[in-house]
Amino acid sequence: MLKLEFYKLFCKKKILIVLLVGIAAEIFLSMQSRSVMFEGFNPKVYRYYMEELQGEYTVEKQTWIEQEYERLQNLISDEEMYEAQYKRNEIGAEAYRKVSGDIKTAKNRIRTVEYIVEKSGYYSGVDGTPEYFYDIGIKDYIENMKMDVIMLVILIIMIAPVFTEDHSCGTVPMIRSSKYGTGRLYYNRLTVVLTISAGIGFLFPVLEFVTKYVKFDLGNLNADIRSLMVMENSNLDMSIIQYLFLTMATRAFFAVVFGVFVMWVAVLSHRNIVTYVVTLGAVYIPYFLYSYMNRGMQDLMLCKGLGGFDNFKEYHVMAGIPDAWFGGVVYGMLAGGMIWSCGRYVGERRR
């Protein structure tokens, strides 16, 4: 019966089309860079200095970049002086052209170097082994790790009909009169829900990672996660690649919770449209109000767990539990309650 439930799901062309279109859309969106740096930032200049500083942070490297920043500042501040000296014929045309070129280069580099000085100051206070490397690609990836609407829509479209189709086709009385039409059928379909949710929930973050890894320069993934300034409030002691797999596992867990929620609404409502509206609304209304909530409320929002980055970007505790795990504990209990509720509902209808 379990194989039959999977077959009934994947033999539908529309399900396969939705899945393939969703995968294609996920890959396309993952190929887009969304990072917006400050005005005056130059990626080529940043890459040059990161290659010069590459490796673990040291006081010597911080001193060197601070001296470089001071040299650029002095060049820019002395621009009028060099111009006046040239007009008074105190320096020749060749020397003036050279110093003008140096000043132009300094103006092009100053804001980027200022950022690296700020970054070095951050590194000096990090309890770990931060490393210099070209991190624009990985920074863009991590800080834009948001709730995946494509994944949620696919989960709803795949899961809802598993529990509503019998009602729309009018086959419920016949199924309930059969030997395995309630209890065993429910557990088989629950297995389908958990498998699909976990599979899709892990597949889409992996697709996002692989696409960005191929398309962009993600830098040194073995570096300490605290090498990224976007993680300055985190207490995680792990590498970037370990952090990425942690977020993938977290998003997969909350995808399972969402899948169970879809199942619960579908079992109670018997209608696809109601399931679509209720489940998406329950996730997206808090998502749009997220920035207006206090920290405690944010920790209880499903959109935070589905987002990945928001779970680990800073550290605080809720009810004595680290915020990164608090949502998991709460939603794990809720998912268990919804599974029990659905099972009880099915059992009561049988009697």
Side-chain angles (χ1 to χ4, degrees), residues 210-333:
V210 171
T211 304
K212 289 188 176 294
Y213 184 82
V214 173
K215 174 71 175 178
F216 303 105
D217 178 7
L218 298 185
N220 182 11
L221 297 180
N222 292 315
D224 191 315
I225 186 62
R226 288 165 293 188
S227 299
L228 305 177
M229 291 180 68
V230 293
M231 300 300 294
E232 61 182 327
N233 295 319
S234 174
N235 72 327
L236 296 176
D237 184 14
M238 60 178 61
S239 68
I240 294 172
I241 190 66
Q242 289 172 328
Y243 169 83
L244 292 178
F245 278 106
L246 175 62
T247 59
M248 289 177 193
T250 302
R251 294 167 83 179
F253 169 79
F254 280 96
V256 171
V257 172
F258 180 75
V260 171
F261 178 51
V262 173
M263 176 191 74
W264 183 70
V265 176
V267 167
L268 297 182
S269 69
H270 306 158
R271 291 176 175 82
N272 284 336
I273 187 63
V274 174
T275 305
Y276 298 160
V277 172
V278 171
T279 52
L280 280 178
V283 174
Y284 265 89
I285 291 174
Y287 177 76
F288 290 117
L289 299 176
Y290 187 80
S291 60
Y292 302 101
M293 299 177 183
N294 60 41
R295 181 175 288 180
M297 287 297 295
Q298 288 176 342
D299 288 337
L300 291 173
M301 294 299 104
L302 187 57
C303 57
K304 177 180 179 179
L306 290 165
F309 169 56
D310 284 341
N311 288 287
F312 305 104
K313 68 179 180 181
E314 59 185 34
Y315 176 82
H316 63 274
V317 296
M318 283 285 294
I321 303 173
D323 64 307
W325 314 117
F326 181 75
V329 172
V330 172
Y331 278 102
M333 295 171 63

Side-chain angles (χ1 to χ4, degrees), residues 96-320:
Y96 182 67
R97 277 196 297 271
K98 182 180 183 304
V99 76
S100 294
D102 291 341
I103 291 171
K104 183 178 179 180
T105 300
K107 288 181 177 179
N108 185 46
R109 293 183 174 186
I110 188 70
R111 289 288 285 123
T112 305
V113 174
E114 182 181 12
Y115 172 72
I116 299 173
V117 170
E118 179 186 347
K119 185 175 185 175
S120 298
Y122 158 69
Y123 281 178
S124 66
V126 169
D127 183 19
T129 54
E131 297 182 34
Y132 292 100
F133 66 97
Y134 187 78
D135 58 357
I136 300 303
I138 191 65
K139 173 180 174 293
D140 170 70
Y141 174 22
I142 288 178
E143 70 179 352
N144 288 296
M145 195 181 286
K146 306 294 184 183
M147 185 173 65
D148 195 333
V149 62
I150 298 174
M151 180 185 74
L152 299 186
V153 170
I154 288 175
L155 285 176
I156 293 173
I157 292 175
M158 293 183 74
I159 293 173
V162 173
F163 295 93
T164 60
E165 201 170 59
D166 295 336
H167 292 274
S168 62
C169 295
T171 58
V172 175
M174 180 180 66
I175 291 174
R176 285 179 180 157
S177 65
S178 65
K179 183 178 180 180
Y180 300 115
T182 51
R184 184 171 176 180
L185 180 63
Y186 166 70
Y187 291 116
N188 285 336
R189 289 179 174 178
L190 172 62
T191 302
V192 171
V193 169
L194 298 179
T195 303
I196 293 298
S197 300
I200 297 296
F202 194 71
L203 172 64
F204 275 70
V206 169
L207 280 175
E208 182 182 25
F209 168 71
V210 171
T211 304
K212 289 188 176 294
Y213 184 82
V214 173
K215 174 71 175 178
F216 303 105
D217 178 7
L218 298 185
N220 182 11
L221 297 180
N222 292 315
D224 191 315
I225 186 62
R226 288 165 293 188
S227 299
L228 305 177
M229 291 180 68
V230 293
M231 300 300 294
E232 61 182 327
N233 295 319
S234 174
N235 72 327
L236 296 176
D237 184 14
M238 60 178 61
S239 68
I240 294 172
I241 190 66
Q242 289 172 328
Y243 169 83
L244 292 178
F245 278 106
L246 175 62
T247 59
M248 289 177 193
T250 302
R251 294 167 83 179
F253 169 79
F254 280 96
V256 171
V257 172
F258 180 75
V260 171
F261 178 51
V262 173
M263 176 191 74
W264 183 70
V265 176
V267 167
L268 297 182
S269 69
H270 306 158
R271 291 176 175 82
N272 284 336
I273 187 63
V274 174
T275 305
Y276 298 160
V277 172
V278 171
T279 52
L280 280 178
V283 174
Y284 265 89
I285 291 174
Y287 177 76
F288 290 117
L289 299 176
Y290 187 80
S291 60
Y292 302 101
M293 299 177 183
N294 60 41
R295 181 175 288 180
M297 287 297 295
Q298 288 176 342
D299 288 337
L300 291 173
M301 294 299 104
L302 187 57
C303 57
K304 177 180 179 179
L306 290 165
F309 169 56
D310 284 341
N311 288 287
F312 305 104
K313 68 179 180 181
E314 59 185 34
Y315 176 82
H316 63 274
V317 296
M318 283 285 294

Side-chain angles (χ1 to χ4, degrees), residues 57-98:
Y57 161 84
T58 63
V59 175
E60 290 75 20
K61 290 179 180 180
Q62 181 178 4
T63 301
W64 180 83
I65 195 63
E66 288 174 348
Q67 290 174 345
E68 175 71 359
Y69 180 57
E70 185 177 355
R71 182 183 73 83
L72 297 177
Q73 283 183 312
N74 291 338
L75 274 171
I76 294 171
S77 63
D78 291 344
E79 181 178 13
E80 292 182 0
M81 180 192 72
Y82 287 118
E83 184 177 355
Q85 288 178 345
Y86 174 67
K87 289 179 179 178
R88 294 195 302 266
N89 295 320
E90 294 178 4
I91 58 174
E94 185 64 29
Y96 182 67
R97 277 196 297 271
K98 182 180 183 304

Side-chain angles (χ1 to χ4, degrees), residues 334-346:
L334 285 175
M338 285 186 285
I339 291 172
W340 176 84
S341 174
C342 289
R344 185 178 175 83
Y345 177 81
V346 170

Side-chain angles (χ1 to χ4, degrees), residues 20-31:
L20 292 175
V21 169
I23 289 173
E26 183 71 24
I27 293 173
F28 173 76
L29 292 175
S30 298
M31 294 174 68

